[in-house]
């Protein structure tokens, strides 16, 4: 008959609830509040019964100390029971004296511990009292069972409450995930605007630098720099030629001086050896020697070498060596002259290079070039950050509908009703 009526009426219409996204948190709070109120309503009676049963059980247990043992009990059992009774009463009171809180879940936890403690006492010292006090122990066991039955009632109510709380928590987690995604997307819009502003600022400055560079490059004063650069290059070339000539002369002389040094060492000519070392030291220095010191050192060393040549101790091997020591006076003058001219050219080169470097237009161009390189690096960084932001936003935008579906699903699991979520403020992409 019931099936027939249902077929006539058709399926029950699907219930729907409509919530705006902003209403979800307060709606979830209401659901939690309602679930807790339901829990309080469901456990109010069993909690009261447990309090009464606990008080009654404690009274019965304390009355045991004045109870008479069964006269038919064996004397040995009576003796054991007499010793066990105080321990049993103490154990039961330790469990029954626990304060029962007003909050259902905390109350439930303490009540369960109370029953466990009582059962442990029954199975422990209580087992010796079953024979000696059969009626009293039967009543005690009944009192414990009464508390246990009310705890079972609470167990079901608390289980339903925890299930509802878990579903509410899952819905709140889904809401938080969607809320975080929407908030992050909103923030990303501001971040993108700031990145674009920085890129525009950099681009504008680069355009200004390009225009300024073009203007400075056409400055008439730069035309005169070509001649100055040529003069500077010519001075550098002359300086390097003198350096090479000095190196050639010093190497040739040093080679012969080393031969003379060996001979002076072999003949124990300490004075001559000292003179030769001074000359070789000044010629082997990585810097070009000053004219006066090198002339003095060579002027002292060359006669020593010439004497060894005359005595046949040294044989000159090539025309370069013969050219040096065929006229040592001329050689000394040539070396000191090369040194003097090299020093003069070094000074002139340095002055010419400093003049080029300090030219105001060139200084400005170099400064602009440095700034341009720095801005280019900043531009690359900002553009990369913008690409990463856009890729992240695309990913979050794709996940937002799924998060919205997940929230609706979790709310439906809570209520059993289809949920329509109204997103009043669309997420900007």
């Amino acid at each position: 008959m019931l099936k027939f009526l249902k077929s006539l009426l058709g399926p029950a219409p699907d219930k729907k609830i409509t919530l705006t996204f902003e209403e979800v948190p307060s709606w979830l709070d209401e659901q939690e509040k309602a679930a807790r109120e339901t829990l309080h309503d469901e456990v109010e009676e069993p909690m009261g019964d447990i309090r009464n049963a606990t008080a009654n059980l404690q009274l019965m247990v304390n009355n045991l100390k004045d109870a008479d043992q069964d006269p038919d009990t064996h004397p040995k059992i009576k003796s054991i029971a007499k010793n066990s009774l105080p321990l049993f009463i103490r154990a039961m009171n330790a469990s029954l004296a626990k304060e029962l809180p007003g909050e259902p879940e905390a109350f439930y936890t303490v009540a369960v511990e109370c029953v466990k403690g009582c059962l442990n006492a029954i199975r422990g010292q209580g087992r010796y009292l079953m024979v000696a006090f059969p009626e009293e122990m039967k009543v005690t066991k009944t009192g414990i069972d009464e508390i246990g039955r009310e705890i079972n009632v609470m167990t079901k109510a608390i289980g339903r409450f925890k299930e509802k709380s878990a579903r509410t928590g899952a819905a709140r987690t889904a809401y938080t995930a969607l809320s975080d995604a929407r908030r992050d997307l909103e923030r990303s819009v501001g971040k993108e605007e700031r990145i674009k502003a920085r890129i525009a600022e950099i681009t504008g400055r680069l355009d200004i630098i390009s225009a300024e560079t073009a203007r400075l490059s056409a400055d008439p004063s730069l035309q005169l720099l070509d001649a100055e650069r040529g003069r500077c290059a010519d001075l550098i070339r002359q300086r390097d030629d003198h350096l090479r000539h000095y190196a050639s002369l010093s190497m040739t002389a040093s080679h012969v001086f080393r031969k003379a040094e060996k001979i002076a060492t072999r003949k124990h000519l300490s004075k001559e050896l000292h003179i030769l070392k001074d000359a070789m030291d000044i010629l082997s220095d990585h810097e070009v020697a000053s004219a006066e010191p090198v002339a003095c050192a060579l002027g002292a060393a060359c006669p020593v070498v010439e004497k060894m040549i005359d005595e046949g101790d040294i044989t000159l091997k090539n025309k370069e060596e013969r050219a040096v020591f065929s006229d040592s006076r001329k050689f000394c003058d040539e070396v000191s002259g090369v040194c003097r001219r090299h020093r003069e050219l070094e000074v002139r080169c340095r002055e010419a290079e400093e003049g080029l470097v300090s030219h105001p237009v060139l200084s400005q161009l170099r400064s602009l070039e440095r700034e341009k390189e720095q801005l280019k690096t900043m531009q690359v960084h900002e553009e990369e950050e913008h690409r990463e932001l856009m890729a992240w936003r695309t990913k979050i935008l794709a996940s937002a509908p799924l998060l919205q579906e997940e929230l609706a699903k979790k709310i439906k699991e809570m209520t059993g009703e289809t949920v329509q979520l109204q997103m009043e403020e669309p997420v900007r992409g």
Side-chain angles (χ1 to χ4, degrees):
M1 185 66 178
L2 181 59
K3 289 183 179 179
F4 175 72
L5 290 174
K6 285 183 176 180
S7 66
L8 289 177
L9 295 173
D14 187 19
K15 294 182 179 179
K16 291 185 178 180
I17 59 174
T18 301
L19 289 172
T20 66
F21 182 72
E22 289 71 19
E23 289 174 339
V24 171
S26 59
W27 184 85
L28 290 174
D29 291 341
E30 290 174 2
Q31 296 298 309
E32 286 182 338
K33 181 180 177 183
R36 189 162 290 280
E37 289 175 351
T38 300
L39 174 63
H40 277 276
D41 291 342
E42 291 178 344
V43 300
E44 181 179 6
E45 185 175 343
M47 284 174 66
D49 292 342
I50 289 172
R51 291 184 189 277
N52 293 333
T54 300
N56 292 333
L57 182 57
Q58 192 170 22
L59 180 62
M60 287 186 289
V61 168
N62 288 326
N63 288 336
L64 267 175
K65 61 185 176 184
D66 299 323
D68 295 326
Q69 296 194 34
D70 188 339
D72 297 331
T73 303
H74 191 279
K76 187 174 182 180
I77 297 296
K78 285 184 178 181
S79 176
I80 295 173
K82 182 179 179 180
N83 294 328
S84 299
L85 182 60
L87 299 176
F88 174 75
I89 292 173
R90 188 180 304 120
M92 289 292 289
N93 278 331
S95 297
L96 294 170
K98 291 180 178 179
E99 184 178 354
L100 294 168
E103 199 279 320
E105 291 174 281
F107 179 99
Y108 177 81
T109 300
V110 175
V112 169
E113 291 177 355
C114 173
V115 169
K116 286 182 179 178
C118 291
L119 290 174
N120 287 335
I122 288 287
R123 298 187 188 103
Q125 300 297 332
R127 69 180 185 276
Y128 302 115
L129 305 178
M130 292 294 185
V131 178
F133 304 97
E135 292 301 323
E136 289 84 352
M137 293 302 294
K138 182 179 180 181
V139 172
T140 299
K141 183 68 169 59
T142 300
I144 295 173
D145 291 342
E146 183 180 350
I147 296 174
R149 283 192 297 273
E150 297 304 323
I151 285 176
N152 289 339
V153 175
M154 288 190 70
T155 299
K156 294 178 181 179
I158 290 175
R160 289 190 294 271
F161 170 74
K162 286 185 175 179
E163 184 179 351
K164 290 179 182 177
S165 296
R167 289 177 177 173
T168 304
R172 197 178 293 280
T173 299
Y175 171 83
T176 300
L178 179 56
S179 179
D180 289 346
R182 288 167 58 85
R183 184 187 64 250
D184 290 344
L185 283 169
E186 289 293 338
R187 289 177 178 174
S188 75
V189 173
K191 185 176 182 179
E192 182 190 10
E193 290 173 353
R194 290 191 295 274
I195 292 174
K196 285 182 175 179
R198 289 196 294 270
I199 292 175
E201 183 181 356
I202 291 170
T203 303
R205 181 56 187 163
L206 286 172
D207 290 342
I208 292 172
I209 289 174
S210 296
E212 185 68 7
T213 300
R215 184 187 68 79
L216 290 172
S217 298
D219 191 288
S221 65
L222 291 181
Q223 310 270 330
L224 303 175
L225 283 177
D226 290 337
E228 189 63 25
R229 288 194 187 98
R231 188 178 72 85
C232 182
D234 184 60
L235 289 171
I236 292 172
R237 188 163 47 251
Q238 292 181 51
R239 180 197 64 190
D240 294 344
D241 288 343
H242 279 73
L243 177 61
R244 284 190 291 271
H245 187 41
Y246 174 80
S248 175
L249 293 173
S250 61
M251 287 175 62
T252 301
S254 294
H255 181 68
V256 178
F257 287 158
R258 278 192 293 273
K259 294 179 183 179
E261 180 188 21
K262 292 177 182 179
I263 295 169
T265 302
R266 188 171 66 246
K267 292 184 176 183
H268 305 291
L269 304 174
S270 57
K271 179 181 178 182
E272 288 80 356
L273 185 62
H274 180 72
I275 292 172
L276 291 169
K277 282 184 176 296
D278 285 347
M280 285 189 293
D281 287 344
I282 200 167
L283 291 177
S284 62
D285 194 285
H286 65 280
E287 295 287 343
V288 175
S290 297
E292 290 76 13
V294 76
C296 182
L298 291 177
C302 284
V304 174
V305 174
E306 289 173 342
K307 182 180 179 183
M308 292 180 180
I309 294 171
D310 293 340
E311 292 176 353
D313 292 328
I314 296 177
T315 303
L316 301 177
K317 299 295 186 180
N318 53 52
K319 64 179 182 179
E320 288 80 9
E321 293 179 354
R322 288 190 291 272
V324 168
F325 293 99
S326 62
D327 189 346
S328 59
R329 173 65 62 181
K330 178 182 178 183
F331 170 70
C332 292
D333 292 342
E334 183 179 6
V335 171
S336 61
V338 169
C339 292
R340 188 177 296 105
R341 180 58 178 162
H342 181 269
R343 289 296 177 93
E344 292 173 356
L345 288 169
E346 272 196 328
V347 172
R348 293 179 63 188
C349 285
R350 184 166 56 251
E351 291 173 349
E353 288 172 342
E354 289 174 355
L356 290 173
V357 170
S358 63
H359 192 283
V361 175
L362 288 180
S363 297
Q364 291 179 62
L365 286 172
R366 283 193 296 271
S367 176
L368 290 172
E369 184 62 27
R370 286 193 298 271
E371 184 182 359
K372 178 182 176 182
E373 292 302 317
Q374 293 171 356
L375 289 172
K376 284 287 187 181
T377 301
M378 293 170 60
Q379 185 179 42
V380 169
H381 173 74
E382 296 292 345
E383 289 173 348
E384 178 62 25
E385 188 172 358
H386 185 261
R387 283 192 295 271
E388 290 176 357
L389 179 63
M390 292 300 98
W392 173 87
R393 185 187 293 174
T394 299
K395 181 179 177 181
I396 296 299
L397 282 171
S399 70
L402 300 178
L403 293 173
Q404 186 172 336
E405 291 175 10
E406 180 69 10
L407 175 58
K409 176 185 174 184
K410 295 302 179 184
I411 294 177
K412 184 175 182 180
E413 290 174 357
M414 288 177 57
T415 62
E417 300 177 0
T418 301
V419 181
Q420 182 178 358
L421 284 175
Q422 295 179 347
M423 312 300 282
E424 295 181 0
E425 295 182 6
V427 177
R428 291 183 289 171

